Amino acid sequence: MPAIAQVEPITTARALRGPFDYRLPDELRDAAIDVGSMLVVPFGRRQVLGVVVGLAERSEIATEKLLAPSRALELGVSREMVGLAEWVAAEYCSTLARALGLVLPPGASRRLGGRRRGARARLRHLAVGARTPDPPVLTGDQAAALRAITAELRAPRAARRLLHGVTGSGKTEVYLRAAATALEQGRGVIVLVPEIALTPQIVGRFIERFGNTVAVLHSRLRPSERYAEWRRLRGGEARVCVGPRSAVFAPIEHPGLIVVDEEHVGSYKHEGDPRYDAREVAAERALRSGALLLLGSATPRPESVHRLPRSLLPQRVDGRPLPTVRVLDMRDEPHGLHPLTAQALADVRAARGKAIVLLNRRGWSNFLSCRSCGRVWSCPRCDVALVLHRAGGYLACHHCGHRQPVPARCAACRSTSVARHGAGTERLQHELAGVLGDGGFPVFRLDADTALTRAGAGSRWNALPNGAGPGAPEALDAAGDHGAGALLRSFQDADCGVLVGTQMVAKGHDFPDVALGVVLDADATLRFPDFRAEERTFALIAQLAGRAGRGAAGRVLVQTIAPEARSIRHASRHDSDGFLAGELQRRRALLYPPFSHLIRIVCSADGEPEIAQARARAAAGAVRGGLPERSGGEGAGVLGPAALFRLRGRERQVLLVKAVERRAAAAAVARAVARAAATPEHRGVRFGVDVDPQ
């Protein structure tokens, strides 16, 4: 047994670079310490959790001078997961300690006091024992796709494939059959979904098909439940893991299949450090384990279409056509509902049917202004306007979370003439409840505000019945379910009604009785300075259209002031291939992904804007000097710095690195940022790095 353990302390400090050598005493040498073992080690004046990342016979420091670990913990992570964490740290310009934090058991840092076992997960929907209902008969397209996928699974190598199927084409059944093949081979399965609460059907289908061998990992479980599910996966009791992006780090030995459902969704990108993309981590994990990565979507990313072989599901499983889509020109119409939209909603109400209305903007009004002096109510910490939330009686910043009461008068000129501009989902819900009138036709709302509702929180139930304003408070289900899941089930169980919401309403829901879909302000995403704006607009419309007409004839109305926009025209014709071809041609000409890689560097500082600007210029010079020639190409290089709006009281500047070779560029950025962060005159300046920003 080697005498030295090379340990990475789990700390968030960026300036700290491990690993550090620790002497293994005789009592720990008998504990089978290996790469991935978790130790409690003295570090400074504290006892901290550390992960063994290497073993050695000797150290540069005399062995007798080395400190010894206090003890070893019961569970560790596999050598393979340590290697994956090392890859994440290098690929996303982070530290190994932060990356290891992603693969450790849930709550590992809180378990330093002993070896207590986690409670058995009490998952409401987890089956006891296997249930294996008779699967449906596959369509010809499904069977053809499954043959190609099965061939990849049986090949002794890693592979990647895109399952491009229209909404309702039966992608989930293909996932289930592929998972069964992987399990028959004695290998594990990881299934990533955008968010558990918004995609309950796919979770339920896997549990129904594979029973207790399925574990569900997500952040809304109690800590003891998450730990228990992690242990079932680590011990091999569970062989299928379903969960959001963090489930890509599930401790499954020998995965054979990794599924990424709705692979176009931006929530697969992690916002914290390390800012990993679960789709890229899944690809790396599949490569390391010889597994098949299967990406699925009705609106796949251009990057996936360009890089991967495709299996197509062009028809819905029931043979029903996709709904007709009509684009309504709002350039000459007042704000609000187009007359045809109002009539269509009235028709749904008369037929006691269901509709979904998408407005990708929450709150009551976009901003408030004083009609007398022109003042706009803005966030004191960010350079953005505050959004009115009328039901809660407050103005809110959607960036830093600042809140303040709704003003009765202008503090600058004392005028009481306060104007409200624009409309969000809260106001739309209220207006639709009034327009659609009484008669038991509820208007439900699903957005980031309502999704945070939990049972027992005293929050108002987010359905407005009878056009009479906010409904009476009702408790959510006794199991303490996530507000979004409970609301979606209520809409599904209702005899009729309208579901109003942001892009959440377009994410993978299967409501067979929705006859009408409406997209308001469809061009709003086109107004963002983002090269993915067209892609997101197309996906938003196409995904919402996919929610309509699953059980009967359906139609979709798209309100826009840009009816000739390329993304809107292609979405109205369900022309995914035409849109993707044009988008790839445009990106090739501009050298955007998938023909390059982007790295975003944000420099932030307290004080005057010039401080952040000067530091960003210095960082830009360091990055330019460190980029190898082969990482560039025509149109590549370092763009900026450019000013970003002030956020949480800090002035910000942004740099954008565009490079053909990702790894070399990421390494150059990591070196430049590390040097900049260590420079004394940069004290108090923060550098944030985002590889492949979304």
Side-chain angles (χ1 to χ4, degrees):
M1 178 72 185
I4 307 298
Q6 297 167 332
V7 178
E8 186 71 34
I10 304 303
T11 171
T12 59
R14 268 197 166 275
L16 191 66
R17 296 290 173 174
F20 298 90
D21 290 352
Y22 285 84
R23 171 177 51 85
L24 286 176
D26 292 340
E27 59 269 24
L28 285 186
R29 293 195 196 187
D30 297 334
I33 301 299
D34 199 355
V35 172
S37 295
M38 297 196 304
L39 306 176
V40 180
V41 296
F43 195 72
R45 298 181 179 179
R46 299 182 297 150
Q47 295 283 318
V48 302
L49 178 67
V51 177
V52 177
V53 297
L55 297 169
E57 295 293 343
R58 60 184 62 86
S59 171
E60 295 179 357
I61 302 173
T63 303
E64 62 272 13
K65 294 183 179 181
L66 293 176
L67 297 175
S70 303
R71 62 186 180 277
L73 298 187
E74 177 187 15
L75 282 181
V77 296
S78 67
R79 183 181 290 264
E80 290 74 19
M81 296 308 290
V82 172
L84 185 65
E86 291 172 336
W87 178 88
V88 168
E91 199 76 5
Y92 293 98
C93 301
S94 188
T95 66
L96 179 54
R98 292 182 185 222
L100 283 169
L102 299 171
V103 305
L104 294 182
S109 61
R110 297 191 298 271
R111 298 180 184 275
L112 302 186
R115 299 184 175 183
R116 64 184 177 89
R117 294 176 178 270
R120 178 70 172 89
R122 292 169 292 173
L123 297 178
R124 236 179 20 264
H125 51 291
L126 192 60
V128 178
R131 286 187 287 153
T132 54
D134 293 333
V137 177
L138 297 181
T139 66
D141 292 329
Q142 285 177 309
L146 188 61
R147 282 194 295 271
I149 291 167
T150 302
E152 300 278 21
L153 283 169
R154 290 176 176 163
R157 65 179 186 278
R160 297 185 294 169
R161 178 166 288 271
L162 173 63
L163 184 60
H164 184 181
V166 301
T167 53
S169 59
K171 294 185 289 295
T172 301
E173 183 60 34
V174 176
Y175 301 155
L176 290 163
R177 303 286 184 105
T181 299
L183 292 172
E184 289 167 3
Q185 296 174 330
R187 309 193 70 182
V189 178
I190 298 173
V191 182
L192 302 185
V193 296
E195 186 175 337
I196 290 286
L198 298 179
T199 52
Q201 287 99 344
I202 188 172
V203 179
R205 293 276 300 278
F206 268 86
I207 292 171
E208 182 183 59
R209 188 70 57 90
F210 299 115
N212 211 35
T213 194
V214 177
V216 181
L217 282 181
H218 60 92
S219 61
R220 302 191 187 280
L221 293 175
R222 299 183 184 93
S224 60
E225 292 173 342
R226 291 187 68 196
Y227 181 62
E229 291 294 88
W230 191 93
R231 283 190 65 118
R232 292 204 312 124
L233 291 163
R234 184 75 172 94
E237 179 186 347
R239 300 294 297 150
V240 179
C241 180
V242 183
R245 60 175 177 254
S246 60
V248 73
F249 300 106
I252 288 181
E253 297 286 344
H254 309 301
L257 173 68
I258 304 177
V259 174
V260 183
D261 187 41
E262 305 287 357
E263 68 93 25
H264 64 281
V265 176
S267 59
Y268 284 119
K269 189 69 158 65
H270 184 53
E271 293 299 322
D273 186 0
R275 293 179 172 86
Y276 68 88
D277 189 321
R279 295 161 294 201
E280 297 297 326
V281 178
E284 179 66 18
R285 190 166 184 189
L287 181 65
R288 289 167 176 256
S289 60
L292 170 64
L293 173 66
L294 182 59
L295 305 178
S297 177
T299 55
R301 296 173 298 157
E303 294 96 317
S304 300
V305 172
H306 178 70
R307 295 170 180 164
L308 306 181
R310 276 196 295 174
S311 293
L312 297 175
L313 301 177
Q315 304 292 330
R316 288 181 162 177
V317 289
D318 57 6
R320 293 185 180 276
L322 291 169
T324 58
V325 180
R326 182 170 181 178
V327 178
L328 302 179
D329 189 345
M330 296 295 289
R331 287 175 292 188
D332 297 324
E333 294 288 339
H335 294 293
L337 298 181
H338 190 282
L340 292 178
T341 303
Q343 183 59 53
L345 288 168
D347 292 343
V348 169
R349 179 190 177 282
R352 307 292 292 168
K354 290 184 181 178
I356 297 178
V357 180
L358 187 155
L359 175 60
N360 205 20
R361 184 168 56 245
R362 60 191 173 104
W364 184 275
S365 296
N366 300 12
F367 65 95
L368 301 184
S369 72
C370 175
R371 295 183 188 273
S372 299
C373 69
R375 176 200 177 190
V376 173
W377 274 261
S378 300
C379 177
R381 304 178 64 209
C382 310
D383 291 331
V384 296
L386 295 173
V387 177
L388 171 63
H389 290 256
R390 182 170 176 256
Y394 60 84
L395 302 178
C397 174
H398 289 175
H399 294 276
C400 74
H402 167 81
R403 290 188 179 188
Q404 64 188 60
V406 177
R409 61 177 65 242
C410 177
C413 70
R414 309 305 297 169
S415 171
T416 58
S417 182
V418 178
R420 300 171 177 179
H421 302 270
T425 50
E426 183 185 345
R427 181 173 179 177
L428 177 63
Q429 178 195 25
H430 185 84
E431 291 179 349
L432 285 179
V435 168
L436 295 175
D438 56 11
F441 195 75
V443 180
F444 300 85
R445 174 163 60 93
L446 177 61
D447 55 28
D449 299 317
T450 64
L452 295 175
T453 305
R454 292 189 69 90
S459 298
R460 192 173 295 276
W461 180 245
N462 296 292
L464 298 187
N466 303 332
E474 294 183 27
L476 300 184
D477 70 297
D481 192 18
H482 184 230
L487 191 146
L488 288 169
R489 284 200 308 275
S490 294
F491 176 66
Q492 180 171 342
D493 295 342
D495 294 331
C496 59
V498 176
L499 175 63
V500 173
T502 56
Q503 58 183 339
M504 289 180 166
V505 302
K507 289 185 177 179
H509 314 305
D510 186 3
F511 300 125
D513 47 359
V514 171
L516 175 67
V518 178
V519 183
L520 304 181
D521 202 7
D523 49 273
T525 46
L526 292 176
R527 299 193 283 270
F528 286 92
D530 184 353
F531 77 93
R532 291 189 177 91
E534 292 272 6
E535 172 193 345
R536 288 179 173 147
T537 302
F538 175 86
L540 200 64
I541 297 172
Q543 289 288 336
L544 191 277
R547 304 310 122 212
R550 293 195 169 201
R555 58 174 173 157
V556 177
L557 301 176
V558 179
Q559 294 189 183
T560 176
I561 60 172
E564 297 304 317
R566 183 171 59 89
S567 54
I568 293 176
R569 286 190 289 108
H570 283 292
S572 69
R573 299 196 293 262
H574 304 292
D575 182 14
S576 180
D577 285 343
F579 170 75
L580 288 165
E583 186 67 5
L584 284 168
Q585 182 180 14
R586 182 181 71 90
R587 293 193 188 183
R588 187 190 297 272
L590 297 174
L591 197 65
Y592 275 117
F595 306 103
S596 72
H597 295 280
L598 303 180
I599 303 176
R600 185 174 184 254
I601 307 169
V602 176
C603 174
S604 66
D606 289 323
E608 298 300 318
E610 290 76 14
I611 298 175
Q613 187 178 51
R615 303 300 182 257
R617 284 175 178 164
V623 172
R624 288 189 181 99
L627 283 175
E629 291 185 8
R630 68 179 185 277
S631 70
E634 186 177 353
V638 181
L639 308 178
L644 282 178
F645 66 89
R646 186 170 55 100
L647 181 66
R648 298 182 179 91
R650 296 180 68 86
E651 300 291 343
R652 301 189 300 159
Q653 294 277 322
V654 63
L655 302 170
L656 190 67
V657 179
K658 186 188 288 188
V660 174
E661 297 219 1
R662 167 180 169 151
R663 183 155 296 180
V669 168
R671 289 192 298 269
V673 168
R675 285 197 301 270
T679 304
E681 59 264 32
H682 291 170
R683 188 174 292 112
V685 177
R686 299 175 191 163
F687 294 91
V689 180
D690 191 355
V691 179
D692 288 338
Q694 297 297 300

